[in-house]
Amino acid sequence: MSTFQTFAMVDWSGGNDTGPTPRKDAIWACIVRNSKALEPEYLRNRLVAKQWLDTLIRAELKAGRRLFLGFDFPFGYPSGFARAITGTDDPLALWDWFDRHVEDSPQTNNRFDLAGRVNLQFGGRGPFWMNGLRRDIVGLPRTKTGYSNPFPDRRVVETLAKGSFTCWQMAGAGAVGGQVMMGLPVLNRLRHRFAGQVAVWPFEPLEKPIAIVEIWPSLTLGKPPAGRIKDAWQVEQVALTLSRLTEQELDAQLNVSAAEEGWILGVPQNKPNIAPPPLRNDCFALPAGVEWTPVDEALAYLRDKLHPITSAETVSLTKASERILAEDVIAQRSNPPQPNTAVDGFGFAGPVPDGPQVMPLGDGRAAAGIPFEADVPKGRALRVLTGAALPDGVDTVILEEDVTVEDGHIAFHGPLKKGANTRRAGEDVVAGDMALPAGRRLTPADLALLSAVGIAEVNVRKPLRVAVVSTGDELVEAGESAAPGQIFDANRPMLLSLAHRMGFEPVDMGRVADNREALRDRLDQAAKQADVILTSGGASAGDEDHVSALLRQAGAMQHWRIALKPGRPLALGLWSGVPVFGLPGNPVAAMVCTLIFARPALGLMAGEGWAEPQGFEVPAAFEKRKKPGRREYLRARMRDGRAEVFHSEGSGRISGLCWAEGLVEIEDGERHIKPGDVVRFLPFGSFGL
Ligand code: AMP
Ligand code: MG
């Protein structure tokens, strides 16, 4: 999101014009284009600064250059303030509010009076403090004596960025309160004047030509060289530094979520697993001395030794389908945000007693998105349409169908409970609650929920890249001519599709002959392009089993003799730090091993946690005798409420996989299953297919 051709940094000031001679603590700005800094500019007052910004933005838009525009004051206030003032948590609504209430001219402005007025709403002792004028202002204390702040003193980012001032302090050396109040209206006007072209970080996705970003030079910069005005030097240094970051470096810094308060670019945000540690070399080392490992033990082992290996990125909600959340998502707004009516009908104050009722009907109506602004007096009714916010005085609604309307009155039968046919504010989700947990793979319904609670972008894991390689001298590509003894590569298309359907990013690494050098090269390439490698074939301990031989040479290989059917030994190892799942060559065994072993392991590494397939106890439609020792998976499907199995257990019979809609899992011990006996059915859907 961060290819910018132009970087500009503005050092803001809340003070008035003090003359034409460049001086510190005024507004300063510097532009860097193509890594070259222009001379920093002294902007003597906010009117001049506004014109300068206007000209700059027009010029960059016209030239088709993306502009990164930094400002050194908070874009938001500590949490709760936006809601208390505007009724929503949206910081940009607060920008609009300040824009409407701040009066500004080069010589005078109303910032102290406005701070006093805001304070009076909260009892007159805070949140703002310090009157910088000679005259007294009602509600704005001069000192902190008696000060009381209903909001947090600092934004979260300010608790991490030491030495920052709070935005509540309106005057005094270093205070930023005035700058914020006088700066936000200016940014807000830019936002509206260039609507659709400007995005404000971190509240909006930076998908527009102009990005407006909060950044504080004094957090990172030291003293200016002798003879230079500090502010002029700082804006130049910041713009230059930004222009020299690689796209990845800038993206990493921009990747924060702070929906209400905003953030300061460059202050690291604590995010889970942003740079996950590599897997340990011994992660596939089975406990010594084990001959045949039971399936459950092998799974428990993988679960214990593996961990997420993908990093995170922020994407807009529209692009987040099926992505995995990297962190918990907190609802920014309640759903529903206010009490509203669940039906078309008539609203009034409830409850209503038993028996026939007649009520005068007020003029007007409340509809979804078009609230009724006045009170509804007790004993009167108002027309309300589904989704409309309940006006003051209305808490109960009667269904349209149950009402007759005549002569300006409605008639219906009671009783009706208070709250009937309405939805409570937050009855679905309350603002501040966790809407969805980290590790969640986002479903269509999740996108609806997140959108409803005001989430526009989410921090998600990068998709796990899964490379697929087929091995075997006998393999040719379908469509090529096959000599006697050759077969078409069936596993690769299947495994690529499985990886995709299970929610990972498939990477096709082709076929390799049974040749150690060729295989080594291919694994090297795959390890560069993917996070995990799936191979099929060559995983046993025979002469031509080069996958296991190479992994063994690499020193991080384990042969897992898992007690399962169908399945031959599974070769698990690390190749250049990348986990390799050496699957059996048999297509049926390859698919079963993928579903039973690779899938939960891949899910864990992708960041979605360990997913057990959901099984169902159902009656069998078949008879089968099974010896003790190995767990068995049969190709199966449900018909007429019973599980039937494929007529052959031959592990080369691919058509049985197509016939099946799931697997029947038969436990490790001895069993004689007769029709009607209970068996466990695992639908393919429960593996994410
Ligand atoms: P292997 O594990 O290499 O000993 O192979 C076991 C069986 O699976 C042999 O019959 C192979 O020909 C067959 N096989 C291996 N790879 C594939 C593939 N990609 N497609 C179809 N059959 C395969
Ligand atoms: Mg082979």
Side-chain angles (χ1 to χ4, degrees):
M1 58 183 163
S2 61
T3 37
F4 295 94
Q5 290 75 40
T6 307
F7 292 84
M9 179 66 209
V10 180
D11 183 330
W12 200 247
S13 162
N16 293 330
D17 192 337
T18 53
T21 315
R23 57 169 192 88
K24 74 178 184 67
D25 292 338
I27 305 179
W28 282 90
C30 181
I31 301 173
V32 171
R33 279 199 195 98
N34 304 319
S35 309
K36 293 239 160 34
L38 309 185
E39 191 60 32
E41 296 191 56
Y42 168 67
L43 305 169
R44 59 182 285 187
N45 63 46
R46 281 184 294 282
L47 203 66
V48 173
K50 272 189 258 184
Q51 279 156 2
W52 183 89
L53 286 166
D54 224 82
T55 312
L56 171 65
I57 292 179
R58 276 184 211 291
E60 299 314 297
L61 286 175
K62 190 149 175 253
R65 289 185 291 256
R66 287 195 75 200
L67 168 64
F68 181 107
L69 191 51
F71 290 87
D72 69 333
F73 58 83
F75 287 5
Y77 281 81
S79 66
F81 185 64
R83 170 162 291 271
I85 296 293
T86 69
T88 89
D89 298 323
D90 180 2
L92 298 177
L94 197 57
W95 289 29
D96 282 330
W97 189 89
F98 276 117
D99 199 359
R100 286 199 301 276
H101 292 84
V102 167
E103 291 156 22
D104 195 9
S105 74
Q107 302 309 332
T108 170
N109 66 70
N110 69 340
R111 67 183 194 266
F112 295 110
D113 294 284
L114 189 57
R117 285 216 313 270
V118 170
N119 276 5
L120 286 179
Q121 281 191 36
F122 304 103
R125 293 160 59 191
F128 293 106
W129 70 283
M130 195 140 178
N131 174 6
L133 301 180
R134 268 191 220 129
R135 67 181 164 86
D136 285 336
I137 288 176
V138 185
L140 186 62
R142 288 195 183 275
T143 67
K144 268 197 144 174
T145 325
Y147 175 71
S148 139
N149 185 356
F151 305 104
D153 264 339
R154 288 171 191 282
R155 299 183 295 160
V156 170
V157 65
E158 286 154 0
T159 62
L160 301 170
K162 298 288 176 234
S164 54
F165 278 74
T166 82
C167 57
W168 306 121
Q169 187 182 340
M170 292 299 292
V176 293
Q179 292 196 34
V180 189
M181 213 179 262
M182 304 313 296
L184 293 183
V186 174
L187 298 190
N188 197 51
R189 264 167 248 172
L190 290 180
R191 188 166 79 85
H192 287 299
R193 189 168 323 129
F194 299 102
Q197 315 260 47
V198 173
V200 181
W201 179 85
F203 312 134
E204 301 174 313
L206 298 187
E207 289 159 357
K208 304 284 159 56
I210 315 290
I212 299 188
V213 177
E214 179 184 341
I215 172 166
W216 289 17
S218 44
L219 281 182
T220 47
L221 295 175
K223 276 208 167 64
R228 289 205 63 179
I229 294 176
K230 179 175 150 219
D231 313 57
W233 176 76
Q234 284 191 341
V235 289
E236 178 193 273
Q237 290 307 304
V238 171
L240 274 173
T241 308
L242 288 168
S243 74
R244 287 171 188 152
L245 294 177
T246 65
E247 196 180 326
Q248 286 81 357
E249 287 166 340
L250 186 54
D251 273 343
Q253 294 204 14
L254 288 168
N255 182 11
V256 306
S257 36
E260 182 187 347
E261 295 187 336
W263 201 259
I264 304 170
L265 189 78
V267 177
Q269 192 171 42
N270 285 333
K271 292 206 173 188
N273 297 308
I274 286 306
L279 294 173
R280 288 168 51 102
N281 239 2
D282 64 353
C283 68
F284 293 127
L286 271 183
V290 176
E291 253 299 280
W292 285 91
T293 312
V295 172
D296 287 339
E297 224 171 90
L299 288 174
Y301 188 82
L302 285 177
R303 182 180 189 161
D304 185 44
K305 292 293 173 190
L306 297 175
H307 62 73
I309 56 173
T310 48
S311 57
E313 63 181 346
T314 299
V315 303
S316 66
L317 203 57
T318 48
K319 303 208 172 92
S321 182
E322 293 180 60
R323 300 293 297 272
I324 298 164
L325 288 178
E327 59 188 355
D328 298 346
V329 180
I330 307 300
Q332 297 298 308
R333 197 184 196 210
S334 295
N335 184 46
Q338 64 267 314
N340 66 79
T341 169
V343 297
D344 287 346
F346 297 87
F348 38 76
V352 173
D354 203 2
Q357 309 288 333
V358 176
M359 265 184 216
L361 180 60
D363 285 339
R365 58 172 211 173
I370 312 169
F372 183 78
E373 300 290 356
D375 285 7
V376 176
K378 196 161 173 52
R380 276 182 171 266
L382 183 79
R383 177 89 174 114
V384 294
L385 300 178
T386 307
L390 298 183
D392 286 342
V394 171
D395 56 26
T396 305
V397 173
I398 177 124
L399 215 65
E400 178 170 81
E401 291 87 323
D402 297 340
V403 173
T404 34
V405 186
E406 235 179 271
D407 291 339
H409 285 71
I410 61 167
F412 60 94
H413 282 279
L416 210 58
K417 280 196 200 125
K418 184 172 167 148
N421 297 313
T422 67
R423 309 170 179 139
R424 278 178 293 109
E427 69 175 25
D428 185 21
V429 180
V430 177
D433 282 359
M434 192 211 292
L436 291 171
R440 172 88 180 177
R441 197 183 270 283
L442 293 173
T443 67
D446 293 346
L447 301 186
L449 180 72
L450 293 183
S451 208
V453 298
I455 306 295
E457 40 178 39
V458 280
N459 194 229
V460 291
R461 297 274 182 180
K462 297 218 168 107
L464 187 82
R465 295 162 305 167
V466 179
V468 175
V469 188
S470 288
T471 73
D473 282 339
E474 73 278 32
L475 301 180
V476 287
E477 197 77 3
E480 289 173 4
S481 60
Q486 291 189 313
I487 60 170
F488 296 118
D489 178 4
N491 287 346
R492 206 166 93 251
M494 174 178 75
L495 294 173
L496 287 167
S497 169
L498 279 171
H500 172 72
R501 294 278 294 270
M502 296 186 300
F504 312 115
E505 192 177 298
V507 182
D508 186 354
M509 296 304 300
R511 282 175 293 110
V512 223
D514 287 320
N515 170 314
R516 222 160 274 193
E517 284 318 305
L519 184 58
R520 189 197 307 274
D521 281 355
R522 198 65 60 93
L523 290 178
D524 283 344
Q525 288 167 28
K528 286 199 191 90
Q529 294 175 38
D531 305 304
V532 184
I533 302 169
L534 302 185
T535 66
S536 70
S540 300
D543 295 347
E544 294 299 320
D545 291 315
H546 300 289
V547 173
S548 41
L550 277 176
L551 288 176
R552 204 177 307 113
Q553 270 176 18
M557 143 81 186
Q558 280 299 316
H559 243 132
W560 282 32
R561 290 157 57 85
I562 299 164
L564 115 148
K565 190 181 165 196
R568 295 248 302 278
L570 201 56
L572 296 177
L574 289 183
W575 188 265
S576 306
V578 174
V580 180
F581 284 74
L583 300 164
N586 256 308
V588 177
M591 176 149 163
V592 168
C593 285
T594 301
L595 295 183
I596 303 299
F597 291 100
R599 187 226 173 209
L602 295 177
L604 189 61
M605 290 189 279
E608 62 181 319
W610 184 268
E612 305 268 352
Q614 175 77 46
F616 300 89
E617 307 291 318
V618 298
F622 59 93
E623 172 157 12
K624 167 161 174 85
R625 278 175 198 281
K626 173 185 169 300
K627 289 201 280 276
R630 293 209 277 174
R631 183 166 302 182
E632 285 196 32
Y633 292 93
L634 307 179
R635 284 153 280 182
R637 64 185 193 185
M638 293 296 296
R639 287 294 180 273
D640 302 325
R642 303 196 317 162
E644 46 186 52
V645 295
F646 193 55
H647 58 78
S648 159
E649 291 182 15
S651 76
R653 299 227 189 172
I654 306 175
S655 66
L657 286 175
C658 308
W659 173 94
E661 293 161 7
L663 300 172
V664 156
E665 180 185 60
I666 308 178
E667 64 266 36
D668 305 358
E670 181 173 3
R671 258 201 92 172
H672 180 188
I673 297 164
K674 293 188 280 309
D677 287 357
V678 172
V679 291
R680 194 168 134 84
F681 177 69
L682 306 169
F684 284 149
S686 76
F687 296 98
L689 303 184

